[in-house]
Amino acid sequence: MTPVMPSYNKTDVHPSTFILIGIPGLEVAHIWMSIPFCVVYLLALLGNFSILFIIKTDPKLHEPMYLFLCMLAVADLIVCTTAVPKVLSLFWFNDGEIHFEACLTQVFLIHSCSTMESGFFLAMAFDRYVAICHPLRHSMILTHTVIGKIGLAIVLRGTVLFSPHPFLLRLLPYCKTNIISHTYCEFMALIKIACAETRIRGAYSLTVAFLTGGVDFILIICSYILILHTVFHLPSKDARLKTLGTCGSHVLVILVSYTPAFFSFLTHRFGHHVAPHVHIFVANIYLLVPPMVNPIIYGVRTKRIRDRFLKLFSFLKPLN
């Protein structure tokens, strides 16, 4: 007697491809939304590559703040390049198909590099704390060796803590559907379409997110409380304003980066009444806008980078 086979096979449980549908409810606007998405992505590439080139070619900028800025620029480039080309392919050609392995790779790179960005923000806040609160010891504390070790620790933290994510997702069965209501592969988006118990995996993701971005944000706030305490004890108003000005760029970058990140994170877990298209649109802003804005803010508000950029631009400008 021939045994009765189950109604699904391995390809049903682990599909070879997923289908990204973009922003639910806004499919007709995808082609129009692709225009600002593409412009922002190109500006992000131009800005971050410019930052890397300027700092690399100017030995005077080989200081802790600028070296951490280079690390941030690399992480920004990886995050946006991992997601945006596929998003534009979806918007332009309705090409939402993504292979299972590519989807898991996208999950790992986006989450791990986003965590590295958070770590570099904390490193830059620590640099500002030492420079303002202990200026005479700044060069002794933040040597190039120490900077390299901090950068390596941040990269290893992001890699180690988020390496389990692809394996946790691979072990899940996806027998309900292979359609992802998103523009890119995200851990919680895949969790939602799995047909298995996912509370432990969700708890792990939540814990890791708090131990990285959440703790980083708390430590950044603590560093700026100490900085403000020192600044307000400076003897003159001009000195206070000048010192605060050196922190202005960093504070703006942190606000631009953490605001959409926290909104997306909290909405995934607790914002059940938030419209899906709002959440997914903000999730895309989180990947697109900070990589574009970061080099602009530092370029405009940091005199040394601005002067170097203007000098480079004037050198490249053709003579009449």
Side-chain angles (χ1 to χ4, degrees), residues 29-41 84 87-93 288:
H30 278 176
I31 192 66
W32 297 105
M33 295 172 65
S34 69
I35 298 173
F37 274 51
C38 183
V39 171
V40 170
Y41 178 55
V84 178
V87 174
L88 293 177
S89 176
L90 169 62
F91 285 178
W92 285 339
F93 311 113
L288 274 167

Side-chain angles (χ1 to χ4, degrees), residues 235-250:
S236 68
K237 182 179 178 180
D238 289 340
R240 290 195 292 269
L241 292 175
K242 183 178 180 181
T243 305
L244 287 174
T246 63
C247 300
S249 302
H250 191 218

Side-chain angles (χ1 to χ4, degrees), residues 254-316:
I254 289 171
L255 290 175
V256 168
S257 299
Y258 275 101
T259 301
F262 281 140
F263 179 88
S264 180
F265 171 78
L266 294 173
T267 301
H268 248 320
R269 285 143 180 99
F270 311 111
H272 304 298
H273 301 295
V274 177
H277 66 272
V278 174
H279 168 230
I280 294 173
F281 186 75
V282 173
N284 281 273
I285 288 176
Y286 167 61
L287 292 188
L288 274 167
V289 174
M292 178 198 71
V293 171
N294 292 351
I296 293 176
I297 291 176
Y298 282 108
V300 171
R301 294 185 59 88
T302 306
K303 185 177 184 300
R304 293 173 68 175
I305 293 180
R306 184 175 66 248
D307 290 347
R308 177 68 175 169
F309 179 80
L310 292 174
K311 183 179 179 181
L312 177 66
F313 180 79
S314 63
F315 175 77
L316 295 175

